[in-house]
Amino acid sequence: MGDVLWTPPADVRERSRIGAYLRWLAEHRGLEFADYAALWEWSVTDLDGFWRSVWDHFGVVAHTGPTATLADPAMPGARWFPGATLNYAENVLRMPGLGDDDPVVIAHGQTRAPQTLTAAELREQVRRVAAGLRRLGVGPGDRVAAYAPNIPETYVLLLATASLGAIFSSCAPEFGTRSVTDRWRQIEPTVLVAVDGYRYGDKPVDRRDEVAAIRAALPSLRHTVAVAYLDPAGPAPDGAVSWAELAAPTDEPLTFAGVPFDHPLYVLYSSGTTGLPKPIVHGHGGILLEHLKMLALHHDLGPGDRFFWFTTTGWMMWNFLVSAPAVGAAIVLFDGNPGHPDLGGLWRLAAETGTTYFGTSAPFLLACRKAGLVPREVADLSALRGVGSTGAPLPAEGFIWVYEAVGTDLQLQSLSGGTDVCTGFVGGVPLLPVHAGEITCRALGARVEARSADGTPVLGELGELVITAPMPSMPVGFWNDTDGSRYREAYFELYPGVWRHGDWITINERGGCVITGRSDATLNRGGVRLGTAEFYSVVEGLDEVVDSVVVHLEDDEGGAGELLLFVVLAEGLELDDALRRKICRELRTALSPRHVPDEIHQVRAVPRTLSAKKLEVPVKKILTGTPVDDAAAKGALANPESLTAFAAFAQRRPAPEAPARS
């Protein structure tokens, strides 16, 4: 690992937004930094100075100014910018550097013709929809729920809801009824905005029955707004108003409620693969500051950029994507099957829309590599200068493929963070080179450390990823968690006063990071601890293997336990002893003899969440006797039927004497 694949241009400080920020710090604060490491160290040490500089540098529009920057730095419960009132939507709709006629939302999909909204058109739609929500009785603190895909209406609804001081929550329409109601029963929305269906590739997917079931399950609802997306001529459900009625012409001006810095903006949810999804409440000010910092200083986005990330409205990357107009960048929205008609589709979309920054998931990049795709041969990607990857660790071969097949001059940024902070806390930055297989740096203002088992910070070795200083976009709290006990239990139970994220990370001497999987899915045999990401990199590097999942069933007596590998093979292949031997040989050579599985089995599919994360922990629970319905919430899965194979496998195996720890 560590081959340099991209080096910043010599004039990077003159050309980049972080360079402009460094000049601003020198001029307005008298601060000079020799390199990124020094800037990062200052940003996580002088929290007041750094976060106030973000506020001032980007000219945050506030109704009343703050009396302090960080009133109480203790975690959980750090208090940021007390006394300030502001509005997220007001700051997004400023769209600095964009004129009224400049495109700001460019929307493509498989259900209807492309749409473009200019800056003026976006503001006008938000004005009308905000007035429509007011007519429905929506005010500060009310919840507005969207069962809708990544289309302009959903974005307009978010901004209109936020402008009123109401609280937004979205679920992608591929979510099953149970998954949606598990989320929304907790927050009790008064208004539901829902599509009738959508097209996925060339397949129409009718969701009217699901919408009816969701309405029936939410007694808090006072109004339903129907978006005729799949069938524009179709009738609205009984008792629903149409989107056109909600967005009807009106003389009401566009106004913005000035709300406290930590006033709830939206509720996001943990994946909800086991138990009820955690309703994570994010605030107006924290999200605004974090996204200004990340989008401008790390992703180098601004006027003239077109920012795309392949995401649904059920993943926090949608919330991240749609903040980009706050830094003057236009956003490219896509709704549909990313593999239709082939894996070149999104790359051709990038060419057609003039995308300058293309964001996607590591599994998508690896699928393109495996398919032998060369995007620069199927699309004109000359406008592209940044590629982002998240959702899973991107191995070195994924980095190398991007530079060989997509472009040599672009900056690849692998990042990791989470729904919990609605950002990446490790990622890329224009000032530093890109090394194969390595996340470039810890983000500004994110004091990320690796901790050993005894809680001491470590460098150059695997440790538990922790954050030891507060960030403004840490959750305001969980919904209905009045005493904060669920919130403390989620992040602060292991190390009091320190955020434990649940990933394994190695931070090297130059500040580069490698994340090797979830700490609750770690493989640990004979004292050698290994994240699952490295395991998958080896196994899925084989041409025969399309996908895989590995679980370690511990031995409570302290033995090696059992390591079970499940593989999805390329079409037409059957797992035989020769392929088993080949897989074992590759793992022994690349990793260690301890990581050769005890058993390898073929399955048709690996269970994944709707945002494509593998589900090692539910598989492990099923294999140790937990019923499928208790191990995972099926509606949160992209392929719930995939779990039945593991349940059948568990029934065929001898029952363990005691349930293994999960």
Side-chain angles (χ1 to χ4, degrees), residues 41 85 159 250 260 322 345 539:
E41 188 63 40
T85 58
L159 295 174
T250 174
V322 300
V539 173

Side-chain angles (χ1 to χ4, degrees), residues 234-253:
D238 288 345
V241 300
S242 69
W243 178 263
E245 290 172 281
L246 183 74
T250 174
D251 294 333
E252 266 190 61

Side-chain angles (χ1 to χ4, degrees), residues 360-400:
T360 184
S361 67
F364 176 79
L365 294 175
L366 293 172
C368 290
R369 173 182 177 266
K370 193 136 200 173
L373 183 69
V374 182
R376 59 183 164 75
E377 292 178 358
V378 302
D380 175 6
L381 301 176
S382 53
L384 205 59
R385 57 185 187 81
V387 170
S389 170
T390 192
L394 184 67
E397 57 268 25
F399 278 71
I400 291 163

Side-chain angles (χ1 to χ4, degrees), residues 121-133:
E121 287 167 341
L122 177 61
R123 286 191 195 100
E124 172 65 7
Q125 289 211 13
V126 173
R127 182 182 73 83
R128 289 184 180 195
V129 171
L133 290 173

Side-chain angles (χ1 to χ4, degrees), residues 458-490:
V458 292
L459 207 58
E461 59 183 86
L462 195 64
E464 185 88 52
L465 191 160
V466 298
I467 306 174
T468 58
M471 294 169 62
S473 72
M474 284 175 173
V476 172
F478 292 168
W479 195 265
N480 278 342
D481 181 26
T482 45
D483 63 357
S485 56
R486 284 184 77 197
Y487 183 43
R488 279 193 303 276
E489 185 187 317

